[in-house]
């Protein structure tokens, strides 16, 4: 066979060295320098450290969010879902959403939209019989979300565990599923979801560019990307006050409430290392999204970035 195909013989001889070279390239990729807060680490070290952070903080995550933001994170998440404005039938992928905050808001929003649709339908058909009205309400009760679904995907098992426990306690079950997965290599088919959200998670992704490419891949044409993340304050006075609060207060709260100073020190540092609004906007555009923009909330302490797959 080698005599009949000289190229095959050459490739056969080169197979070993080529495989060795590929292994070396993968080794170099794994050893690529990045940051963990203000530390310089390899990408693999960063992934391990971040996983340890969220395993450590999972059980106190909601309490700490309320303490750190004085409860304002709830308003930011409400604004994100209102900006999404999902209609019945929307298929949502919420990445790094292990505790379920966006998923639960999505379900509530769609339920309300379905109820409004039913009320409008009944008002527009005043001549409906009592039986027809009753059947409409039964249908609403049977399928309060229509065909809407939300898939929560998170890389951390402990965060997913907390989210599932909250869902059970709060009574969320229909139209909700939980998947263990990496934002940089999502376990979903192409062109599958109507909306992709990631709230306070993208700054913990080691390769933001890969996560954005994956977001683009799994969205349907016409699908929407929405990212809620801590960002950069432009006002110098507010910025200095914000830094003072972040570095002097938040780690102390982490120690008092969660018994974990280091994890919350990292979270503060990760915000400072995160790309500013215009830089992240350019990265989203580089991933292929169109009509990319952002909305600053609370003077830029957080921002909502939006883009469409066209």
């Amino acid at each position: 066979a080698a005599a009949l195909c000289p190229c095959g013989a050459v490739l056969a001889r080169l197979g070993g060295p080529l495989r060795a070279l590929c292994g070396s390239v993968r080794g170099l990729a794994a050893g690529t320098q990045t940051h963990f807060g203000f530390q310089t680490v390899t990408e693999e070290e960063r992934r391990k450290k971040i996983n340890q952070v969220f395993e450590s903080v999972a059980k106190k995550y909601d309490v700490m969010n309320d303490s750190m933001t004085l409860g304002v994170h709830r308003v930011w998440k409400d604004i994100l879902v209102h900006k999404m404005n999902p209609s019945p039938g929307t298929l949502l992928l919420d990445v790094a959403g292990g505790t379920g905050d966006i998923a639960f808001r999505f379900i509530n929003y769609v339920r309300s939209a379905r109820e409004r649709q039913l009320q409008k339908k009944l008002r527009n058909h005043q001549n409906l019989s009592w039986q027809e009205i009753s059947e409409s309400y039964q249908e609403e009760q049977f399928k309060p979300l229509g065909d809407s679904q939300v898939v929560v995907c998170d890389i951390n098992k402990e965060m997913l565990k907390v989210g599932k426990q909250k869902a059970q306690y709060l009574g969320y079950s229909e139209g909700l599923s939980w998947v263990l997965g990496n934002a940089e290599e999502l376990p979903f088919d192409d062109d599958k979801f109507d909306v992709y959200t990631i709230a306070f998670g993208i700054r913990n992704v080691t390769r933001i560019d890969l996560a954005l490419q994956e977001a683009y891949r799994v969205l349907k044409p016409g699908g929407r990307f929405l990212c809620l993340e801590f960002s950069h304050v432009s006002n110098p006075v507010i910025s200095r006050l914000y830094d003072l609060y972040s570095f002097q207060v938040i780690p102390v709260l982490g120690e008092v409430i969660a018994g974990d100073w280091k994890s919350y020190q990292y979270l503060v540092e990760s915000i400072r290392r995160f790309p500013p609004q215009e830089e992240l906007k350019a990265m989203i555009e580089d991933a292929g999204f169109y009509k990319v923009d952002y909305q600053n909330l609370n003077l830029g302490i957080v921002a909502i970035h939006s883009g469409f797959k066209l």
Side-chain angles (χ1 to χ4, degrees):
L4 291 171
C5 182
C7 292
V10 172
L11 288 172
R13 287 196 297 271
L14 290 175
L18 282 172
R19 284 193 292 272
L21 178 61
C22 289
S24 300
V25 170
R26 285 194 295 271
L28 286 170
T32 300
Q33 296 292 296
T34 184
H35 59 84
F36 175 79
F38 293 159
Q39 300 176 43
T40 300
V41 296
T42 65
E43 289 185 352
E44 187 59 32
E45 287 172 338
R46 186 179 195 273
R47 290 187 180 97
K48 289 179 180 178
K49 285 177 176 289
I50 288 175
N51 193 55
Q52 290 168 357
V53 164
F54 284 94
E55 282 187 353
S56 173
V57 305
K59 291 181 180 179
K60 295 289 185 178
Y61 189 74
D62 290 334
V63 176
M64 275 302 301
N65 278 347
D66 283 332
S67 301
M68 288 189 301
T69 68
L70 305 179
V72 180
H73 75 100
R74 298 174 182 270
V75 178
W76 295 333
K77 291 167 183 173
D78 288 340
I79 293 171
L80 176 70
V81 175
H82 278 82
K83 191 176 182 72
M84 184 197 314
N85 190 25
S87 58
T90 299
L91 182 57
L92 168 66
L93 173 63
D94 183 38
V95 176
T99 56
D101 281 2
I102 301 302
F104 303 153
R105 283 169 169 78
F106 170 83
I107 290 172
N108 292 341
Y109 195 98
V110 173
R111 280 177 178 169
S112 296
R114 283 272 292 174
E115 179 65 25
R116 288 194 300 271
Q117 283 184 352
L118 175 60
Q119 294 293 339
K120 184 177 180 181
K121 174 184 174 183
L122 296 178
R123 282 196 300 269
N124 291 338
H125 296 84
Q126 295 294 336
N127 58 345
L128 288 178
S129 68
W130 172 250
Q131 182 179 358
E132 289 171 324
I133 293 173
S134 177
E135 288 173 355
S136 294
Y137 274 109
Q138 287 175 4
E139 180 186 353
E140 170 65 20
Q141 190 174 28
F142 181 68
K143 293 184 70 176
L145 297 179
D147 295 320
S148 295
Q149 291 185 19
V150 52
V151 178
V152 178
C153 180
D154 201 296
I155 198 171
N156 190 280
K157 292 180 181 178
E158 287 301 312
M159 296 292 278
L160 284 173
K161 181 179 177 181
V162 169
K164 290 177 182 177
Q165 290 171 345
K166 283 171 61 180
Q168 185 175 12
Y169 175 76
L170 297 171
Y172 293 102
S173 57
E174 185 195 356
L176 175 63
S177 56
W178 308 85
V179 175
L180 184 69
N182 186 346
E184 299 172 40
E185 194 174 354
L186 293 170
F188 306 108
D189 294 335
D190 297 357
D191 306 327
K192 182 175 178 65
F193 296 95
D194 299 302
V195 183
Y196 171 112
T197 54
I198 183 164
F200 303 117
I202 201 164
R203 78 179 187 282
N204 298 309
V205 172
T206 300
R207 289 283 304 277
I208 294 175
D209 58 334
L210 294 183
L212 292 173
Q213 290 168 22
E214 281 291 273
Y216 186 88
R217 179 183 66 79
V218 301
L219 279 170
K220 298 175 183 177
R224 190 175 191 186
F225 168 86
L226 286 165
C227 170
L228 172 65
E229 189 53 86
F230 287 107
S231 202
H232 292 257
V233 179
S234 57
N235 184 297
V237 175
I238 300 298
S239 181
R240 290 185 67 180
L241 291 173
Y242 180 43
D243 281 347
L244 184 66
Y245 173 76
S246 297
F247 286 99
Q248 301 301 320
V249 177
I250 289 178
V252 175
L253 287 174
E255 181 65 30
V256 172
I257 295 173
D260 191 339
W261 178 293
K262 289 184 178 179
S263 292
Y264 287 93
Q265 181 72 26
Y266 155 72
L267 292 175
V268 172
E269 293 174 359
S270 70
I271 294 169
R272 298 308 180 274
R273 294 299 300 264
F274 189 68
Q277 290 89 324
E278 286 293 331
E279 187 177 334
L280 181 59
K281 178 185 176 183
M283 293 176 72
I284 296 170
E285 289 172 335
D286 287 344
F289 289 99
Y290 289 87
K291 294 180 68 66
V292 178
D293 63 11
Y294 60 86
Q295 174 187 357
N296 283 329
L297 304 177
N298 293 87
L299 302 173
I301 290 176
V302 300
I304 298 176
H305 282 78
S306 172
F308 293 87
K309 177 178 178 177
L310 301 179

